[in-house]
Amino acid sequence: MQNIDQTLSQQQNSDFQPVIQPDDLLLIIISGDNPETSAPFNLTTYAGIDNSSETAQGGIRFQSYLVNAEGAIDMPILGRVVLGGLNKLQAIEKIKSLLKEYITNPIINFRIINYKVSVLGEVASPGTYQLQTERITLPEAISRAGDLTIYGDRKNVLVIREENGKKVYKYIDLTNADFINSPYYYLDQNDVVYVNPNKTKINSSVIGPNVTVGISAVSLLITIIALLSR
């Protein structure tokens, strides 16, 4: 981030909100002024039952909703609700509007509970990282993966994401702080970050096998010459 001072002086306010996608797991808890009125709108199950009594023990556990390929979920009473393509705030407002005729002052607790990103390539600990938050930056994701190795190309970091059912990608130059203002500074759920190898790693991978084969060939030739010269 060699031009960080200039970039920060020109930065714009960013209000990042993740966009709901197919296969997202959503935890939606609905409450209102009257608990009895809001209870039927929640998917719940008992965490455990004590056999010595007929009452449920361990409290109530809320079930999550899986967003289908069409971006929809099925909610109690409300039925099919399409949330795909909406950000978190828009989804909350849509559910509130559907609840108005049933609940006074509905309150929505809304979370994406399978938020994850994958970091691959020249990093210390590549893998998929499950997040407790819905907001992570590209530098934070790389930090979770143990930072770039000495063979990582800091000017050639690839970010792959899905938008409207299509794969899109962007190459990021981490040495240029301008990426802070790009749409790829904050990662979406299911984004894939791939750190490309630098020229040193590429050259060593190409030269290595050839050198090994060459040494083996020379050794064999020397052995043959030694045997023939006896």
Side-chain angles (χ1 to χ4, degrees):
M1 301 186 184
Q2 298 173 1
N3 57 333
I4 187 69
D5 292 338
Q6 181 181 357
T7 300
L8 291 181
S9 65
Q10 299 174 353
Q11 69 177 326
Q12 302 175 355
N13 293 329
S14 60
D15 183 19
F16 173 79
Q17 291 288 336
V19 176
I20 298 168
Q21 303 175 6
D23 296 326
D24 282 349
L25 283 175
L26 308 179
L27 180 63
I28 304 174
I29 302 175
I30 298 171
S31 58
D33 293 342
N34 186 344
E36 295 182 356
T37 303
S38 58
F41 292 90
N42 293 304
L43 282 180
T44 60
T45 184
Y46 290 112
I49 297 179
D50 185 354
N51 294 328
S52 63
S53 68
E54 297 180 357
T55 60
Q57 302 294 327
I60 295 177
R61 181 175 60 190
F62 293 92
Q63 298 184 56
S64 58
Y65 297 87
L66 176 65
V67 181
N68 65 22
E70 298 175 345
I73 60 174
D74 288 316
M75 299 185 66
I77 301 177
L78 299 180
R80 185 174 185 269
V81 180
V82 179
L83 300 178
L86 302 180
N87 63 36
K88 183 176 178 178
L89 294 179
Q90 292 169 336
I92 291 174
E93 289 304 316
K94 181 171 185 176
I95 296 173
K96 278 186 176 181
S97 66
L98 296 174
L99 290 171
K100 283 183 178 179
E101 61 178 295
Y102 303 100
I103 303 175
T104 303
N105 299 322
I107 299 173
I108 313 295
N109 185 348
F110 189 106
R111 283 190 59 201
I112 302 173
I113 60 175
N114 64 334
Y115 200 103
K116 65 182 185 297
V117 297
S118 299
V119 187
L120 307 172
E122 290 297 332
V123 291
S125 301
T128 298
Y129 293 88
Q130 195 81 28
L131 307 175
Q132 297 298 320
T133 179
E134 297 170 359
R135 183 184 175 103
I136 186 171
T137 66
L138 176 57
E140 287 174 330
I142 293 175
S143 176
R144 283 176 178 260
D147 202 358
L148 279 68
T149 67
I150 60 173
Y151 298 112
D153 188 351
R154 286 161 171 75
K155 294 185 178 182
N156 196 24
V157 177
L158 175 64
V159 179
I160 304 173
R161 71 174 42 155
E162 184 171 319
E163 293 180 353
N164 301 320
K166 296 182 179 180
K167 298 294 184 183
V168 297
Y169 66 91
K170 177 73 173 180
Y171 286 98
I172 303 296
D173 180 358
L174 296 180
T175 66
N176 189 336
D178 290 343
F179 83 91
I180 289 177
N181 295 323
S182 81
Y184 291 85
Y185 179 66
Y186 288 104
L187 298 178
D188 284 343
Q189 70 270 38
N190 303 318
D191 275 2
V192 177
V193 178
Y194 179 76
V195 179
N196 284 282
N198 57 25
K199 292 182 179 179
T200 301
K201 182 62 176 290
I202 294 174
N203 292 337
S204 65
S205 64
V206 173
I207 295 174
N210 294 335
V211 171
T212 302
V213 172
I215 292 174
S216 299
V218 171
S219 299
L220 179 60
L221 181 59
I222 292 174
T223 302
I224 294 173
I225 292 173
L227 292 174
L228 293 177
S229 62
R230 290 183 178 180

